[in-house]
Amino acid sequence: MADTEVICANRECRIAQDGKCVEGYDDVGECPYYGREPEERDEEDEVDDDAVADAFDGLHLPDALPLGNSRADRVLSILRSRMIGIIGVHDSGKTSVIAGIFDLFQTGPITDIAFAGSSTLHGLELICHDARVASERDEPHSERTKRGEVKFYHLDVRRDDTLQSLLIADRSGEEYEEVADLAANATAMFELRRADVITVLVDGCRLTSPTDRADVMGAIPLIIQGMVENGAFERKPNLAVVLTKNDDVVASPRRERVEHDFQSIVEGVRETFADDFGEFSSFVTSASPKDVNVERGDGLAAVLDFWLRPPPEPRGVRLRYRSGRVFDRLTAEEPKNG
């Protein structure tokens, strides 16, 4: 059967080329333009793009939204850089951690680390807005990362008169959850193979819930195991295990049990995957607390410091060449005396 031609009444839509709805619908059947022929334009309404370009006398600036793969590669080639991979299931606080670190720079250096620029300022401001008073929300909120894409937030920082770039990868939490069900789902997560630091998020709020506690404790090692099996950490990156939403933990009557559960997760990961990572550390954070009595960004300064630590010295491994031939398994016979 011949393929059906994909059409859309919105002339800006490129769904026929890239499969993505420009209106943002996951189910294209819900889009009011999908499947309709574009309306004819009057010649008087046609806009001469060349004429518009000739009339523009300003300066065209690149956007400052999160980076795709090619632009992220260019950032990596300019300065000494660190790639940060953040692993967290849906609503574990991944976007809040990224936004929280950027927000800490609004008041000045974070300890001895100074902000030195970013090519994704607009993107960072967008994810910070809903957690600020200016958004007029009752509670801090972070937008969900869309499935099927990975984007990068960029920060340049200065420490001890040395400039360094941070590229922080952001991928949908649902995709990490799927690794726990099927390890092969980790194969496409190329950003983790390039990461210098892996940051695993443990949702403190869900740990306080009797119904969610077991899922949280069981999912973390399964996700890491799936990625290890698919060679995601061959570079032996440093590993940070981070408890998020500690303000919910502090306010919970189950606080002591949650703290014990988190330490159990940390020790379990350390013992099971010690050979797959470099330096290992754990942190407790409140990136975007609901309680106004808890300091916003608590614990994130220590996480940022860990991200910037130099990688451990590479450990050499002696490899023995094997061609697979039967001849290679033959050994010389010891001479018999007498």
PDB file of all heavy atoms in Angstrom, residues 67-77 152 194:
ATOM      1  N   LEU A  67      20.700  24.323  23.780  1.00  0.00           N
ATOM      2  CA  LEU A  67      21.464  23.940  22.599  1.00  0.00           C
ATOM      3  C   LEU A  67      21.108  22.541  22.114  1.00  0.00           C
ATOM      4  O   LEU A  67      20.829  21.649  22.910  1.00  0.00           O
ATOM      5  CB  LEU A  67      22.955  23.977  22.910  1.00  0.00           C
ATOM      6  CG  LEU A  67      23.506  25.277  23.508  1.00  0.00           C
ATOM      7  CD1 LEU A  67      24.990  25.118  23.795  1.00  0.00           C
ATOM      8  CD2 LEU A  67      23.253  26.456  22.577  1.00  0.00           C
ATOM      9  N   GLY A  68      21.188  22.368  20.798  1.00  0.00           N
ATOM     10  CA  GLY A  68      21.129  21.043  20.210  1.00  0.00           C
ATOM     11  C   GLY A  68      22.522  20.448  20.142  1.00  0.00           C
ATOM     12  O   GLY A  68      23.501  21.043  20.622  1.00  0.00           O
ATOM     13  N   ASN A  69      22.646  19.287  19.512  1.00  0.00           N
ATOM     14  CA  ASN A  69      23.923  18.570  19.503  1.00  0.00           C
ATOM     15  C   ASN A  69      25.053  19.356  18.855  1.00  0.00           C
ATOM     16  O   ASN A  69      26.158  19.441  19.403  1.00  0.00           O
ATOM     17  CB  ASN A  69      23.759  17.232  18.777  1.00  0.00           C
ATOM     18  CG  ASN A  69      22.710  16.369  19.417  1.00  0.00           C
ATOM     19  OD1 ASN A  69      22.294  16.607  20.546  1.00  0.00           O
ATOM     20  ND2 ASN A  69      22.258  15.350  18.701  1.00  0.00           N
ATOM     21  N   SER A  70      24.803  19.931  17.675  1.00  0.00           N
ATOM     22  CA  SER A  70      25.881  20.585  16.935  1.00  0.00           C
ATOM     23  C   SER A  70      26.379  21.829  17.657  1.00  0.00           C
ATOM     24  O   SER A  70      27.592  22.066  17.744  1.00  0.00           O
ATOM     25  CB  SER A  70      25.412  20.941  15.525  1.00  0.00           C
ATOM     26  OG  SER A  70      24.282  21.804  15.563  1.00  0.00           O
ATOM     27  N   ARG A  71      25.457  22.630  18.204  1.00  0.00           N
ATOM     28  CA  ARG A  71      25.883  23.832  18.923  1.00  0.00           C
ATOM     29  C   ARG A  71      26.557  23.466  20.238  1.00  0.00           C
ATOM     30  O   ARG A  71      27.464  24.161  20.682  1.00  0.00           O
ATOM     31  CB  ARG A  71      24.684  24.751  19.168  1.00  0.00           C
ATOM     32  CG  ARG A  71      24.143  25.377  17.887  1.00  0.00           C
ATOM     33  CD  ARG A  71      22.948  26.264  18.166  1.00  0.00           C
ATOM     34  NE  ARG A  71      23.317  27.392  19.020  1.00  0.00           N
ATOM     35  CZ  ARG A  71      22.418  28.207  19.575  1.00  0.00           C
ATOM     36  NH1 ARG A  71      21.119  27.984  19.387  1.00  0.00           N
ATOM     37  NH2 ARG A  71      22.814  29.216  20.326  1.00  0.00           N
ATOM     38  N   ALA A  72      26.143  22.378  20.850  1.00  0.00           N
ATOM     39  CA  ALA A  72      26.816  21.922  22.068  1.00  0.00           C
ATOM     40  C   ALA A  72      28.252  21.501  21.749  1.00  0.00           C
ATOM     41  O   ALA A  72      29.175  21.767  22.526  1.00  0.00           O
ATOM     42  CB  ALA A  72      26.046  20.753  22.674  1.00  0.00           C
ATOM     43  N   ASP A  73      28.454  20.868  20.593  1.00  0.00           N
ATOM     44  CA  ASP A  73      29.811  20.482  20.184  1.00  0.00           C
ATOM     45  C   ASP A  73      30.710  21.700  20.048  1.00  0.00           C
ATOM     46  O   ASP A  73      31.895  21.663  20.412  1.00  0.00           O
ATOM     47  CB  ASP A  73      29.768  19.724  18.865  1.00  0.00           C
ATOM     48  CG  ASP A  73      29.276  18.293  19.029  1.00  0.00           C
ATOM     49  OD1 ASP A  73      29.355  17.777  20.162  1.00  0.00           O
ATOM     50  OD2 ASP A  73      28.802  17.709  18.042  1.00  0.00           O
ATOM     51  N   ARG A  74      30.176  22.796  19.517  1.00  0.00           N
ATOM     52  CA  ARG A  74      30.979  24.007  19.346  1.00  0.00           C
ATOM     53  C   ARG A  74      31.396  24.581  20.692  1.00  0.00           C
ATOM     54  O   ARG A  74      32.524  25.056  20.851  1.00  0.00           O
ATOM     55  CB  ARG A  74      30.206  25.051  18.529  1.00  0.00           C
ATOM     56  CG  ARG A  74      30.084  24.686  17.058  1.00  0.00           C
ATOM     57  CD  ARG A  74      29.731  25.902  16.216  1.00  0.00           C
ATOM     58  NE  ARG A  74      28.358  26.340  16.466  1.00  0.00           N
ATOM     59  CZ  ARG A  74      27.306  25.886  15.808  1.00  0.00           C
ATOM     60  NH1 ARG A  74      27.455  24.939  14.884  1.00  0.00           N
ATOM     61  NH2 ARG A  74      26.100  26.341  16.075  1.00  0.00           N
ATOM     62  N   VAL A  75      30.480  24.551  21.666  1.00  0.00           N
ATOM     63  CA  VAL A  75      30.827  25.042  23.010  1.00  0.00           C
ATOM     64  C   VAL A  75      31.961  24.212  23.603  1.00  0.00           C
ATOM     65  O   VAL A  75      32.904  24.738  24.204  1.00  0.00           O
ATOM     66  CB  VAL A  75      29.586  25.001  23.933  1.00  0.00           C
ATOM     67  CG1 VAL A  75      29.978  25.254  25.385  1.00  0.00           C
ATOM     68  CG2 VAL A  75      28.548  26.027  23.489  1.00  0.00           C
ATOM     69  N   LEU A  76      31.895  22.898  23.414  1.00  0.00           N
ATOM     70  CA  LEU A  76      32.921  22.010  23.959  1.00  0.00           C
ATOM     71  C   LEU A  76      34.293  22.287  23.358  1.00  0.00           C
ATOM     72  O   LEU A  76      35.320  22.002  23.995  1.00  0.00           O
ATOM     73  CB  LEU A  76      32.541  20.549  23.705  1.00  0.00           C
ATOM     74  CG  LEU A  76      31.356  20.003  24.508  1.00  0.00           C
ATOM     75  CD1 LEU A  76      30.965  18.622  23.987  1.00  0.00           C
ATOM     76  CD2 LEU A  76      31.683  19.926  25.995  1.00  0.00           C
ATOM     77  N   SER A  77      34.320  22.838  22.155  1.00  0.00           N
ATOM     78  CA  SER A  77      35.597  23.068  21.482  1.00  0.00           C
ATOM     79  C   SER A  77      36.224  24.416  21.805  1.00  0.00           C
ATOM     80  O   SER A  77      37.376  24.666  21.447  1.00  0.00           O
ATOM     81  CB  SER A  77      35.404  22.955  19.964  1.00  0.00           C
ATOM     82  OG  SER A  77      34.584  24.008  19.472  1.00  0.00           O
ATOM     83  N   PHE A 152      20.783  20.979  25.904  1.00  0.00           N
ATOM     84  CA  PHE A 152      21.910  21.288  26.773  1.00  0.00           C
ATOM     85  C   PHE A 152      21.834  22.736  27.242  1.00  0.00           C
ATOM     86  O   PHE A 152      21.626  23.654  26.440  1.00  0.00           O
ATOM     87  CB  PHE A 152      23.235  21.066  26.043  1.00  0.00           C
ATOM     88  CG  PHE A 152      23.432  19.654  25.562  1.00  0.00           C
ATOM     89  CD1 PHE A 152      22.970  19.254  24.326  1.00  0.00           C
ATOM     90  CD2 PHE A 152      24.070  18.722  26.363  1.00  0.00           C
ATOM     91  CE1 PHE A 152      23.144  17.954  23.880  1.00  0.00           C
ATOM     92  CE2 PHE A 152      24.247  17.420  25.928  1.00  0.00           C
ATOM     93  CZ  PHE A 152      23.788  17.035  24.686  1.00  0.00           C
ATOM     94  N   ARG A 194      29.395  10.712  26.879  1.00  0.00           N
ATOM     95  CA  ARG A 194      30.349  11.823  26.816  1.00  0.00           C
ATOM     96  C   ARG A 194      30.488  12.540  28.158  1.00  0.00           C
ATOM     97  O   ARG A 194      31.309  13.454  28.285  1.00  0.00           O
ATOM     98  CB  ARG A 194      29.892  12.824  25.758  1.00  0.00           C
ATOM     99  CG  ARG A 194      29.801  12.247  24.360  1.00  0.00           C
ATOM    100  CD  ARG A 194      29.370  13.285  23.354  1.00  0.00           C
ATOM    101  NE  ARG A 194      30.291  14.412  23.307  1.00  0.00           N
ATOM    102  CZ  ARG A 194      30.126  15.464  22.516  1.00  0.00           C
ATOM    103  NH1 ARG A 194      29.083  15.522  21.712  1.00  0.00           N
ATOM    104  NH2 ARG A 194      30.984  16.453  22.522  1.00  0.00           N
TER     105      ARG A 194
END
